Amino acid sequence: MEKMRRFLSIGIILIMAMAAIFVSAPAEAAKIAEAAETSDAQNKAIFIRPLIWRADSSASYSFKGAALENADLATDGSVRSYDTSNGTVELPNPYKTDGSVTGLSASWSFTGKVTLEVSITGSSKDYVEVINGVPVTYKEPYAGSGIKWRATLAPNSTLTDLKITYSDLSGVVGSFGESLLSGFGARKWIYVKGSAAGTLFNYQMPIRVGESQKSVGTCDFKLSGGILSDFADIRFTATDGETILPHYLESVTGKAPNRTAVFWVNIPEIPKNGLPIYMYYSKTGASDLSSGEKVFDFFDDFGGALLNGKKWKTVLYDKAGSASVKDSILSLTRAKITSADYKFASGLIEYKARASASGSSEGIIRATSSGNDDVIAYSSVSSSASAHSITKGSGTKANDPKPISPDAFYTYKIYCDDNGDIAFRRYGEDGSGTAQAETEYLAGSSEASPIGLSSSIIGETMSCDWIRTRKAANPPPQVDTRTASMAPEATNLPEFYNVSIAPDGGLIPSSDSSESYYISRLISPAFDARIIKPSWDVDLSDEESVSISIAVKNGGKFYSDWKNGAARYASKKEFDKGSQLRWKAEFGSEGIELKKFSLEYRPGTIRVVMPKGGETLTSGASYSIFWEAAGYDPKYPLEISYSKDDSEDFEVIAAKVDNSGDYAWNVPAGVSGKAVMKVADYNDKSIYGISEDYFSIVSGVTAETKVRAAEEVGVIESVTPAEEKPAETPKAVEKPLAGMYDLLIKVGDNPSPDGYKDGDIVMVKPAGYLWGAEERGKFLIVRTYLTPQRALELMQPDEMVTLTGKSNRKVTKTLNKRKYRFNLQDKITLQERAKAAQGHLTGNALEVKDIAAETEKK
């Protein structure tokens, strides 16, 4: 299926090109420089809070205001479907991303059965179903920049929270990560085979982990050590490698270092075709997150000093009755307990129990209000007719005449299907092997009701070690045999030190610590970064409470004192170049939250655009030199020089020239021959760009030749020899511009959700940018030549000064609109406007030569 084609394993691969350093031949220089050119998204890593909806008010969004059908909002803010039909909840307005979405992962917490559809075009007609925790990648024709979702809830289901993490072409690579994975050194890929029964929801399945290659017993896979002796350093995640899956350590058997551990993992959604998950391990000092409460539908291992009154109701048959807990064992004498709020309909009830003397162990499958019609699984020490039976009220409905031994623990499993069919099985203490006794009864009803435990009424004691309920499928999902052959892999994870993820997805420091910091995962461009510019978003009043430092080599020095939005340069000795980047945020006060962090890194590549080679220039004339120096600030000093006649020496034309992208060069009189142009970093001359090939400089040429030269290169001022024509001031020829760009123009007077109006320049991207279906259908795309500086200028937002912050710094508020608009008059017909309103424009780019004449400040 098409949608399954888009499921990918976790990870976003940033494709980078190599940077040019020293070259000798112009053609080779141009080839390397061209290879170093990458898109903005490929030179930037943006970490941003995920989109989170929660029932409470702790996240950025709530379900309030969403469109509901056959569902309503509960008092706690969650969405609940009705009893008789599926319900839906749909996001009313799409979330607009800065670039076309390239991938996303969604995870949600729920009870019952809840599925999710996501659209990245902002249109409901483009919904695609996603699997909980499984990343999706998008390519044409599915590109778009509006995230919209719709959840479908089966009857009696509840949706409590939903999180969407995404990547896009603006450089967003995902969220800040998961603090519970901080410091874990290895992970193991586990492939889960689905069940022919269909998609399973919140399903609990066992995973058997061998501590070493010599571990004995049944193992789904074996490791080669690296796990703590108490198995506390275990984490399971969804396919995205980030969403934590609850787990419970049931048992550890064998002798160290060759033991086998059995974990139960709750997987929110297992499709019929299966899915991969991850197990992270290897962290010294890891805390134990094993929790039966979080894994199973109902769980109690009686670990407290008293019976949990929030879980159980206790009934004593008479004054001699008692219900007590000691050493994690529940003891019932002439008493029973039933679940207080929990109700069970179908699946598995499991418990480990024993009976004393002539007593019995009784598991209550269906507890009634009167207790007179309870359905009970009964296992007795007595070899009577009801040694292993199912009873209802006072009548025995099914029996296997195999008694139990007194004071011996057994594991009991009671399976109930959706039709009310009950199977009661008894196993040895560890619950493995073949059932020792088994009986079945068709109860005829699967109505949800409390469960419980009971002793006999003759005064003997029934003891229970634990009880739980879980889902059941036939056949059950299993760990695929391919898993055993998959080698563990090293991790690339962020580090959290007294820092955690806020409910809305941002980074916050711990309130009780004086030192709090976060170190990002490793970012590895395919080049040495020579220009780095970080920027970040925090609460304005607390901006100075976050200190940023950046390392360029794995395990290397962190360079400090970075300024928000300011670039630094290896060429200026502000840091050493490197290709293994990490950023570190240190928090200086409580209450601050880091919402977004952007790390822009460039190879410091310079490319000569004009003259690129093959042109003819006239000595004594003035020409435009064009270049691109991506990542350099407009005021960064560059040096322009040229070399002629295959000489290795370069003559400086201008030193400390601003990085404006163009320079007017007066070709010296009397110079002739072939030459190359070079633009270099003034602070590090080894970084430069050079013409792709040789151009020619001629003298004493005819007017016809000069006109041809002007057409090729762009004469700013023509200087004609006196013998041909008296000196005069010629008209400037239009300069060729540095590069081709696409402008996204809003069509229509009705304001968009972002506030853009007719003619507004919404986005500027390099020509050939992968626009989504919505952009192509609703917006006019204009293609034109721009210098990088002009492109940045057109992307500047409208801003309003709101206040003056610390150190006299002006604080501005971005109005989510651009400063410039495009003149749409005579550029689009009424028919095309009508098509744009319906999202049916052709999407073909309109080429404009003189963009300056068509744009204006608003």
Side-chain angles (χ1 to χ4, degrees):
M1 295 176 64
E2 186 65 28
K3 67 179 181 181
M4 295 305 295
R5 182 178 61 82
R6 282 171 270 160
F7 289 135
L8 291 184
S9 61
I10 185 67
I12 300 172
I13 304 175
L14 302 178
I15 305 172
M16 302 294 182
M18 295 182 61
I21 308 177
F22 278 104
V23 290
S24 55
E28 187 65 20
K31 185 183 299 183
I32 297 177
E34 183 177 357
E37 293 303 314
T38 55
S39 71
D40 287 343
Q42 293 171 330
N43 288 305
K44 187 183 296 183
I46 301 175
F47 301 79
I48 194 169
R49 295 182 300 179
L51 309 177
I52 300 177
W53 287 262
R54 276 205 173 94
D56 56 29
S57 58
S58 61
S60 301
Y61 311 96
S62 69
F63 298 117
K64 187 176 181 180
L68 299 172
E69 184 176 348
N70 294 326
D72 55 26
L73 289 179
T75 55
D76 63 358
S78 61
V79 179
R80 296 183 181 178
S81 58
Y82 298 152
D83 297 345
T84 56
S85 59
N86 288 343
T88 61
V89 52
E90 185 171 19
L91 193 64
N93 299 308
Y95 174 84
K96 188 70 174 178
T97 61
D98 289 334
S100 291
V101 176
T102 57
L104 62 79
S105 177
S107 59
W108 56 99
S109 300
F110 63 98
T111 61
K113 298 178 180 180
V114 179
T115 57
L116 187 74
E117 299 167 289
V118 176
S119 165
I120 60 168
T121 66
S123 173
S124 299
K125 71 178 187 304
D126 294 324
Y127 276 134
V128 174
E129 185 175 342
V130 299
I131 305 299
N132 201 321
V134 177
V136 183
T137 186
Y138 295 92
K139 297 180 180 179
E140 282 283 13
Y142 303 99
S145 56
I147 297 177
K148 186 178 175 70
W149 58 262
R150 177 175 63 199
T152 300
L153 294 75
N156 290 314
S157 296
T158 302
L159 176 65
T160 54
D161 65 69
L162 186 153
K163 180 177 77 171
I164 295 179
T165 303
Y166 69 92
S167 59
D168 68 19
L169 288 178
S170 75
V172 173
V173 297
S175 69
F176 294 108
E178 172 53 64
S179 60
L180 293 175
L181 297 176
S182 179
F184 282 78
R187 71 177 186 178
K188 169 71 178 178
W189 180 90
I190 304 171
Y191 192 84
V192 177
K193 291 173 60 177
S195 170
T199 301
L200 305 175
F201 297 90
N202 280 328
Y203 194 89
Q204 306 93 349
M205 65 173 294
I207 296 178
R208 301 168 179 86
V209 181
E211 185 179 19
S212 75
Q213 295 298 313
K214 295 181 179 180
S215 293
V216 296
T218 302
C219 298
D220 293 312
F221 57 88
K222 298 178 180 180
L223 301 174
S224 297
I227 294 183
L228 296 182
S229 59
D230 59 359
F231 290 87
D233 60 331
I234 294 293
R235 305 287 186 268
F236 293 91
T237 75
T239 313
D240 59 16
E242 183 174 314
T243 301
I244 297 292
L245 304 180
H247 76 269
Y248 172 67
L249 177 57
E250 181 181 59
S251 63
V252 178
T253 57
K255 294 183 179 180
N258 304 316
R259 296 169 296 172
T260 298
V262 178
F263 295 90
W264 285 89
V265 181
N266 188 315
I267 304 176
E269 185 174 0
I270 304 178
K272 186 176 181 179
N273 293 329
L275 81 173
I277 63 173
Y278 285 104
M279 185 188 84
Y280 286 80
Y281 64 100
S282 188
K283 179 187 176 180
T284 302
S287 57
D288 189 358
L289 296 188
S290 173
S291 172
E293 301 277 356
K294 294 181 179 179
V295 171
F296 299 104
D297 298 336
F298 183 85
F299 177 84
D300 200 346
D301 60 358
F302 309 107
L306 300 172
L307 186 66
N308 191 333
K310 294 182 179 180
K311 289 184 178 181
W312 301 104
K313 294 179 180 179
T314 303
V315 176
L316 304 179
Y317 296 138
D318 53 34
K319 293 182 180 181
S322 66
S324 61
V325 172
K326 184 179 181 181
D327 298 330
S328 296
I329 299 293
L330 166 71
S331 296
L332 296 176
T333 303
R334 300 183 61 81
K336 74 174 181 178
I337 58 173
T338 57
S339 54
D341 296 322
Y342 174 74
K343 292 185 177 181
F344 173 83
S346 61
L348 270 170
I349 304 173
E350 299 173 306
Y351 56 98
K352 180 179 175 181
R354 68 186 176 192
S356 63
S358 58
S360 62
S361 297
E362 300 179 6
I364 303 175
I365 307 169
R366 310 281 187 211
T368 59
S369 57
S370 65
N372 296 327
D373 209 24
D374 291 350
V375 178
I376 297 175
Y378 181 100
S379 199
S380 174
V381 172
S382 172
S383 58
S384 63
S386 56
H388 182 87
S389 61
I390 300 174
T391 64
K392 184 176 182 180
S394 59
T396 300
K397 302 300 181 181
N399 180 58
D400 185 349
K402 297 174 183 176
I404 57 176
S405 299
D407 297 319
F409 273 110
Y410 296 86
T411 295
Y412 298 93
K413 300 183 180 183
I414 305 170
Y415 171 75
C416 302
D417 67 13
D418 293 335
N419 298 318
D421 197 3
I422 299 174
F424 176 40
R425 301 182 179 98
R426 185 175 76 227
Y427 297 82
E429 183 174 356
D430 64 359
S432 63
T434 305
Q436 298 176 359
E438 180 176 359
T439 188
E440 296 181 358
Y441 167 59
L442 182 58
S445 173
S446 59
E447 183 178 354
S449 59
I451 62 171
L453 297 165
S454 177
S455 66
S456 65
I457 61 174
I458 60 175
E460 298 296 338
T461 299
M462 177 266 199
S463 301
C464 184
D465 191 353
W466 51 262
I467 183 172
R468 67 193 183 201
T469 66
R470 60 184 176 91
K471 310 291 191 309
N474 188 20
Q478 298 178 345
V479 175
D480 192 281
T481 55
R482 291 176 290 172
T483 302
S485 62
M486 298 297 294
E489 59 188 40
T491 61
N492 179 16
L493 297 168
E495 298 177 26
F496 295 74
Y497 184 81
N498 292 327
V499 173
S500 60
I501 300 295
D504 63 356
L507 286 176
I508 55 174
S510 301
S511 59
D512 58 349
S513 175
S514 58
E515 183 182 12
S516 304
Y517 66 80
Y518 167 90
I519 300 178
S520 75
R521 62 177 176 84
L522 189 67
I523 304 162
S524 301
F527 55 77
D528 281 333
R530 293 190 180 91
I531 305 173
I532 296 177
K533 183 170 72 173
S535 57
W536 55 93
D537 182 14
V538 296
D539 294 334
L540 291 174
S541 59
D542 296 319
E543 183 174 335
E544 297 178 5
S545 296
V546 174
S547 175
I548 298 297
S549 54
I550 298 172
V552 295
K553 295 179 181 178
N554 196 12
K557 171 185 177 181
F558 275 89
Y559 296 88
S560 57
D561 299 326
W562 295 78
K563 303 300 181 184
N564 196 342
R568 292 171 70 175
Y569 304 87
S571 58
K572 295 171 68 174
K573 310 302 181 183
E574 293 175 313
F575 62 89
D576 291 332
K577 65 182 181 181
S579 60
Q580 295 178 310
L581 312 180
R582 288 185 188 271
W583 58 273
K584 179 179 181 180
E586 296 179 83
F587 295 82
S589 64
E590 299 177 20
I592 187 171
E593 179 176 349
L594 181 60
K595 303 174 182 178
K596 179 180 180 180
F597 187 91
S598 174
L599 188 66
E600 184 176 346
Y601 38 87
R602 296 278 185 169
T605 303
I606 302 172
R607 184 167 72 95
V608 174
V609 177
M610 194 77 72
K612 68 177 182 178
E615 302 92 345
T616 301
L617 280 65
T618 305
S619 62
S622 184
Y623 294 89
S624 288
I625 301 170
F626 291 96
W627 69 88
E628 289 180 348
Y632 287 91
D633 284 339
K635 293 295 183 180
Y636 189 91
L638 301 174
E639 181 179 276
I640 305 174
S641 59
Y642 79 104
S643 174
K644 61 185 183 68
D645 298 330
D646 291 324
S647 172
E648 294 183 359
D649 297 327
F650 279 81
E651 182 176 341
V652 175
I653 296 172
K656 291 189 176 181
V657 174
D658 286 348
N659 179 32
S660 61
D662 61 80
Y663 180 81
W665 179 39
N666 294 315
V667 183
V671 175
S672 63
K674 62 181 182 179
V676 292
M677 189 67 61
K678 182 169 76 171
V679 179
D681 185 320
Y682 178 80
N683 293 299
D684 186 346
K685 304 300 193 304
S686 67
I687 304 170
Y688 62 87
I690 198 167
S691 304
E692 294 182 18
D693 209 339
Y694 295 98
F695 57 90
S696 298
I697 302 176
V698 297
S699 60
V701 295
T702 64
E704 181 182 353
T705 304
K706 288 188 291 184
V707 171
R708 178 165 52 85
E711 291 174 348
E712 289 178 347
V713 181
V715 177
I716 295 179
E717 184 177 355
S718 176
V719 180
T720 306
E723 65 270 21
E724 291 189 19
K725 188 176 182 180
E728 62 181 28
T729 304
K731 293 183 179 179
V733 178
E734 181 184 1
K735 298 184 294 183
L737 297 174
M740 187 78 79
Y741 287 82
D742 286 350
L743 281 64
L744 192 69
I745 311 298
K746 175 74 170 68
V747 177
D749 290 325
N750 53 317
S752 68
D754 293 323
Y756 293 112
K757 298 182 180 180
D758 190 57
D760 285 355
I761 299 174
V762 178
M763 193 74 65
V764 180
K765 292 291 183 181
Y769 177 78
L770 190 65
W771 297 109
E774 181 178 12
E775 286 92 348
R776 296 193 308 271
K778 294 184 177 180
F779 295 81
L780 177 66
I781 299 172
V782 173
R783 181 161 294 176
T784 189
Y785 283 103
L786 296 173
T787 63
Q789 290 74 22
R790 178 61 170 160
L792 288 173
E793 184 181 5
L794 292 178
M795 276 295 290
Q796 288 180 352
D798 269 348
E799 293 180 335
M800 177 178 66
V801 177
T802 57
L803 54 93
T804 300
K806 297 178 181 178
S807 303
N808 256 353
R809 182 177 57 84
K810 289 184 178 179
V811 177
T812 61
K813 176 182 179 182
T814 300
L815 301 180
N816 292 325
K817 295 182 290 186
R818 309 295 175 210
K819 285 184 179 180
Y820 291 85
R821 69 181 307 277
F822 179 80
N823 183 10
L824 280 175
Q825 186 176 2
D826 301 327
K827 301 296 189 300
I828 187 169
T829 66
L830 291 175
Q831 290 83 358
E832 288 174 323
R833 285 185 176 277
K835 289 182 179 180
Q838 299 173 356
H840 297 319
L841 268 180
T842 61
N844 296 328
L846 172 67
E847 295 190 4
V848 174
K849 292 184 178 179
D850 188 5
I851 190 64
E854 303 293 345
T855 56
E856 61 182 3
K857 282 189 176 181
K858 295 188 289 185

